Amino acid sequence: MFLKKVMVAGAMSALLGTAAYAGGHAMCGPDGASVRILGSDFPAIQAVAGAAEANCSGSAGEFTINLRDDTRDMMNQALTPNPAEYTSVIVANSTLTQLMNDDLVRPLNDLVDKYGANLKPHQLITIDGNVMAIAFMANSQHLFTRTDILAQAGVEGTPSSVEEMVAAAEKIRAAGIMEYPIAMNMKVGWNVGEIFNLFYFANGGELFKPGTAEPAVNSAAGVAALNSIKSLLEYTHPDHLSHASNETQALWEAGQAAMAIMWGSRGGAVLDDEGSTADVTENTLLSMAPTANGGSTPAATLWWDGVTIAKNVPDADAEASFAALVSGLNADLMKEHNDKAIWLIDGFQPGPAAAGVSATANAGAKPYPMIPFVNLMHNALGSELVDFYKGTESAEDALADVEAAYVTAAKEAGFLN
Amino acid sequence: MKHRTFFWFILPTLSAMILFIALPIVSVFIQSLFVEHEQVLVVSESCGPFGCNQTTSIDAEATAALREEKPLGRFNGLSTYFDRSHLASAEVAEIWRESTGLASFVNGLMDLKFYRALIFTLTYTFTVTPAVLILGLAIAVGVNNLPRAFRGVAIFISLLPFLVATVVGSMILSWMLDGEGIIGATLQNIFNDPSLTIKSSTPLMWIALIVYGIWHTLPFSFITFYAGLQTVSKDTLEAAQIDGANKWQSMIHVVVPHLMPLVSFVTLMLLMDNFRVFEPIVSFNAEAHAQSLSIFIWSDLREAGNPLYASAGATSILTIIGVAILLTPVLIRTWRDFNAKSH
């Protein structure tokens, strides 16, 4: 349903969009302006920034693209001075919050009216009536399975819940095929926090007491989430606390895991013919993230990546940057880069690499919360739950530590008194 | 030297030290006394690809006005130093009240990140420092006794660990120790235990970090002692030999006392460096098992969007205090030697 909605909306806006392309070339905004783009370095963003450059670098006075790792650690500093270092930053849910916390991005309503003819309504990230970002791709965690290994172990169908994953893992282990059939990103820090979010939301939990910055993780749902995770960790590589996306992808491509909870954005790289053998790629199935404890919400968080425009730059530069980036978000981009992401853009044909994210979104997974203090909670989870996973602390004690650590940080940041 | 001459002589160094060391420390201390203003929050509807819901966001204008008024934030005094992320006075008092003995008290402390980091940092400092001193001296004496033709090569090889950037060196070792790496996999084979991995065991991880620390800093003490050995008086050594001292005795009674000022110097440097252990923990992905005060400063400042300046500042000042406490015995000793010589 999720992708169907995207496609129907896309077809409609494609009809409307043709009018904006008078003369068949992209509209690039004021001539001679400066366009300076900052973003994370992965194929989908390379494609978007590349299309903007191809369309509009001719008419811009200056056109630079800086794609790098860990942009979230420097984007606030880069946008704080006036004029800012970059005119546009490509962000995700959590990083938009981070920029908005310091009031560094501008509302885009008038620019959308002027240049946004090929955008679809659900691409507009709207907060209190202001369009703050233009989303172009979706992402979420979901299940990767090796159909051949499951069949060999006598597992029928694709596991769709934690309990089924554990049962399947036990069969694989009992059959002597693999000692550690499950892989997931459990690296201490951000990943440990994120895995908790997945299973906490799947168990119906809320991170904060509604309408406040008070923590609410030390609850029955929190304990249930930790127990779900622990039951899976019985079957993961003992080094799991040092495994992030690159390590789990490597385990998968080396054929050393049969079920994994990994990012949808890794799907393309896993399924392509690089870095792995045909045995692995041909038998890899991408499907919905598992549910837990009889619930119906998949253990995943939905993410988008999108374009923002800096507040502290001249209006002409802002307009040219928006026009350039938006000019590339169309069917032409899809023709060339269809399999690089789960695009929200008009003309996208969902392939096998998109199946997992699409199924997860359709089943009602929760979006990653856009709350100003969610980073602080995420960090507290990432560091304080480790004792539980190492087996030196009970679930309740670990969750109490999370709340205490979060409250300490939130008080210092001014969110709690 | 006249006081006046001395003053002009020291002025450039002194002003550079005030500008680049003293003032930043004062600034860090001041920042550690303030916390962020109370954030003004508004609840509004937000929409996107996954539907609409109620979200909280920061009222940017109101927050900016507060910041304009008091740019440093709210004065918090020394409270940050005693909160749960630092000295945790309230938590420690409670653990003390509830503990049944020393073991349960230490166990409770290990739950507080500051003390957990401190215990690792001190263990690291007090194993790496003496090991590097003794091994460095041993290698220096060894190299010094080699035939002249081999010395150049031996010195070069001994210096190699120092030439490799810390991050690169520890990354390489970390890959070798991985369950899939050459050392990790060999260990599993020898003990025939596939669940034996360095990265999942706290004691093994501590040992790996300590071994790396020794390997990496050894060349520093080696080259310093080697330089010192070139200045040992041949006459004194000969006199010791004539008096019937064997090699070991002349080592202990002639060479080591001669090198004592260098030992103090190397100890000072090592204590300072080891107390701030940082890169190996990051490269080894060891945060689950070992943390240090420097790691906390780093993660507080990286806290994207909500950097915790007060917390990072307080940790920095506590680190400086920690280093000062560690250095005091060595400094007192040096001061005494200096006084003894000048009289």
Side-chain angles (χ1 to χ4, degrees):
Chain A
M1 196 188 85
F2 168 68
L3 283 175
K4 203 167 155 196
K5 200 169 71 187
V6 171
M7 290 181 69
V8 170
M12 283 175 60
S13 66
L15 290 172
L16 298 170
T18 35
Y21 284 83
H25 58 78
M27 303 206 321
C28 288
D31 279 347
S34 174
V35 177
R36 305 184 299 275
I37 301 166
L38 173 69
S40 301
D41 195 15
F42 58 86
I45 293 185
Q46 288 160 8
V48 168
E53 189 175 27
N55 289 342
C56 295
S57 63
S59 66
E62 181 189 19
F63 201 106
T64 57
I65 299 173
N66 182 7
L67 302 185
R68 40 166 285 163
D69 288 341
D70 295 329
T71 45
R72 66 191 288 261
D73 295 336
M74 48 79 80
M75 57 173 65
N76 284 49
Q77 286 83 344
L79 294 198
T80 301
N82 193 351
E85 196 69 22
Y86 299 94
T87 57
S88 169
V89 182
I90 296 177
V91 298
N93 326 25
S94 64
T95 41
L96 174 61
T97 314
Q98 170 186 330
L99 290 177
M100 285 179 57
N101 280 359
D102 289 344
D103 193 21
L104 296 172
V105 286
R106 59 171 72 201
L108 306 170
N109 301 31
D110 47 340
L111 293 171
V112 170
D113 290 344
K114 202 164 169 187
Y115 299 98
N118 54 337
L119 301 176
K120 293 169 290 175
H122 70 260
Q123 277 183 271
L124 308 179
I125 307 301
T126 313
I127 292 166
D128 201 14
N130 292 319
V131 178
M132 299 310 291
I134 309 297
F136 56 79
M137 62 172 277
N139 200 1
S140 86
Q141 302 86 350
H142 60 73
L143 189 63
F144 290 62
T145 42
R146 280 280 298 277
T147 48
D148 55 335
I149 294 180
L150 289 185
Q152 195 187 336
V155 179
E156 285 181 21
T158 312
S160 64
S161 67
V162 170
E163 295 72 24
E164 287 175 26
M165 279 180 75
V166 169
E170 183 52 45
K171 278 190 178 172
I172 295 171
R173 183 180 277 178
I177 306 170
M178 277 179 195
E179 189 63 21
Y180 306 115
I182 298 180
M184 50 203 248
N185 299 334
M186 279 298 290
K187 183 176 167 167
V188 174
W190 197 90
N191 285 287
V192 161
E194 179 66 0
I195 289 282
F196 176 80
N197 288 339
L198 309 187
F199 289 91
Y200 190 52
F201 296 155
N203 280 292
E206 292 276 349
L207 292 173
F208 305 99
K209 291 183 187 144
T212 70
E214 301 277 345
V217 294
N218 192 1
S219 59
V223 175
L226 287 180
N227 288 330
S228 297
I229 298 167
K230 194 128 199 189
S231 68
L232 293 172
L233 292 181
E234 286 293 311
Y235 299 94
T236 59
H237 193 285
D239 285 355
H240 54 246
L241 288 174
S242 63
H243 285 174
S245 282
N246 288 336
E247 286 77 13
T248 47
Q249 185 186 334
L251 280 176
W252 191 266
E253 295 200 306
Q256 294 187 3
M259 286 173 280
I261 296 175
M262 299 193 290
W263 283 98
S265 53
R266 296 274 163 170
V270 165
L271 294 179
D272 70 9
D273 49 8
E274 273 175 50
S276 188
T277 59
D279 270 355
V280 174
T281 54
E282 282 169 12
N283 294 306
T284 297
L285 178 76
L286 277 53
S287 62
M288 189 187 86
T291 57
N293 290 321
S296 62
T297 313
T301 51
L302 301 177
W303 291 69
W304 50 260
D305 283 80
V307 172
T308 61
I309 301 294
K311 186 170 199 182
N312 298 333
V313 292
D315 288 343
D317 291 357
E319 189 175 340
S321 305
F322 184 84
L325 280 161
V326 166
S327 75
L329 305 181
N330 58 26
D332 291 345
L333 185 76
M334 292 305 93
K335 262 181 226 149
E336 213 174 322
H337 302 286
N338 192 64
D339 291 336
K340 286 193 175 157
I342 293 88
W343 299 100
L344 297 169
I345 301 170
D346 168 21
F348 172 57
Q349 304 288 338
V357 174
S358 166
T360 304
N362 286 342
K366 295 264 186 303
Y368 185 83
M370 295 214 307
I371 301 176
F373 32 87
V374 75
N375 277 338
L376 299 171
M377 175 57 86
H378 200 132
N379 286 323
L381 289 165
S383 60
E384 298 291 339
L385 291 180
V386 176
D387 285 340
F388 170 75
Y389 296 131
K390 280 163 66 183
T392 54
E393 207 171 46
S394 72
E396 290 81 1
D397 286 352
L399 290 168
D401 284 350
V402 169
E403 292 204 343
Y406 164 78
V407 167
T408 307
K411 276 185 180 164
E412 188 184 332
F415 292 110
L416 284 177
N417 277 315
Chain B
M1 207 184 285
K2 277 188 197 150
H3 282 306
R4 212 181 132 81
T5 330
F6 179 75
F7 173 75
W8 287 111
F9 190 67
I10 199 84
L11 185 66
T13 321
L14 197 63
S15 40
M17 281 170 74
I18 289 176
L19 198 60
F20 297 117
I21 301 177
L23 287 182
I25 291 178
V26 171
S27 144
V28 167
F29 177 68
I30 291 172
Q31 285 183 57
S32 73
L33 302 179
F34 290 85
V35 293
E36 286 281 334
H37 288 292
E38 216 174 297
Q39 306 271 2
V40 187
L41 299 175
V42 283
V43 175
S44 55
E45 181 166 73
S46 91
C47 295
F50 317 118
C52 295
N53 58 352
Q54 294 291 316
T55 28
T56 317
S57 52
I58 291 175
D59 184 338
E61 271 173 35
T63 308
L66 276 175
R67 249 181 230 167
E68 189 82 13
E69 207 177 302
K70 284 185 185 164
L72 269 174
R74 280 180 298 164
F75 184 72
N76 192 34
L78 292 174
S79 304
T80 309
Y81 288 82
F82 294 101
D83 73 11
R84 188 179 178 280
S85 306
H86 300 88
L87 295 172
S89 49
E91 286 80 1
V92 172
E94 196 183 318
I95 292 167
W96 180 249
R97 267 197 308 276
E98 287 174 5
S99 65
T100 48
L102 191 64
S104 83
F105 179 65
V106 172
N107 223 0
L109 277 190
M110 287 300 270
D111 204 24
L112 298 168
K113 68 175 197 171
F114 181 84
Y115 295 100
R116 197 167 46 206
L118 203 60
I119 288 170
F120 169 72
T121 313
L122 290 176
T123 313
Y124 180 88
T125 308
F126 286 114
T127 42
V128 172
T129 308
V132 166
L133 279 174
I134 293 166
L135 289 175
L137 185 59
I139 297 174
V141 172
V143 170
N144 202 33
N145 285 330
L146 280 177
R148 211 158 258 287
F150 299 118
R151 275 193 216 171
V153 182
I155 292 174
F156 177 72
I157 293 174
S158 313
L159 285 182
L160 276 180
F162 213 42
L163 301 181
V164 182
T166 322
V167 175
V168 178
S170 44
M171 189 81 90
I172 293 172
L173 187 61
S174 152
W175 283 335
M176 291 167 76
L177 294 175
D178 191 275
E180 309 292 326
I182 182 162
I183 300 178
T186 310
L187 282 178
Q188 289 181 0
N189 265 337
I190 292 175
F191 293 98
N192 198 16
D193 175 5
S195 66
L196 174 76
T197 77
I198 289 166
K199 288 180 179 173
S200 67
S201 147
T202 302
L204 287 180
M205 186 52 107
W206 283 31
I207 293 172
L209 287 167
I210 286 168
V211 167
Y212 175 78
I214 295 172
W215 177 80
H216 181 71
T217 38
L218 203 46
F220 166 69
S221 78
F222 152 70
I223 200 71
T224 316
F225 290 139
Y226 182 77
L229 285 176
Q230 310 311 310
T231 66
V232 176
S233 151
K234 292 253 156 55
D235 296 346
T236 324
L237 276 178
E238 240 165 64
Q241 255 173 358
I242 291 166
D243 287 347
N246 60 25
K247 277 202 165 174
W248 178 248
Q249 283 167 330
S250 33
M251 174 82 194
I252 294 296
H253 297 293
V254 180
V255 177
V256 171
H258 177 76
L259 293 181
M260 253 354 247
L262 286 180
V263 172
S264 301
F265 165 72
V266 174
T267 311
L268 277 179
M269 302 304 282
L270 288 176
L271 284 176
M272 273 194 281
D273 279 352
N274 292 332
F275 193 71
R276 293 180 293 114
V277 52
F278 175 69
E279 292 99 327
I281 299 182
V282 175
S283 298
F284 277 69
N285 280 340
E287 285 103 326
H289 306 290
Q291 292 193 308
S292 72
L293 299 188
S294 304
I295 291 277
F296 293 155
I297 300 174
W298 181 61
S299 61
D300 281 341
L301 292 179
R302 264 168 51 106
E303 192 102 17
N306 306 96
L308 300 173
Y309 295 116
S311 179
T315 313
S316 304
I317 298 290
L318 289 171
T319 309
I320 294 174
I321 294 173
V323 170
I325 293 173
L326 281 183
L327 296 191
T328 313
V330 188
L331 285 175
I332 289 176
R333 201 201 140 88
T334 316
W335 178 247
R336 249 193 237 137
D337 288 354
F338 172 79
N339 274 349
K341 261 177 215 156
S342 61
H343 289 302

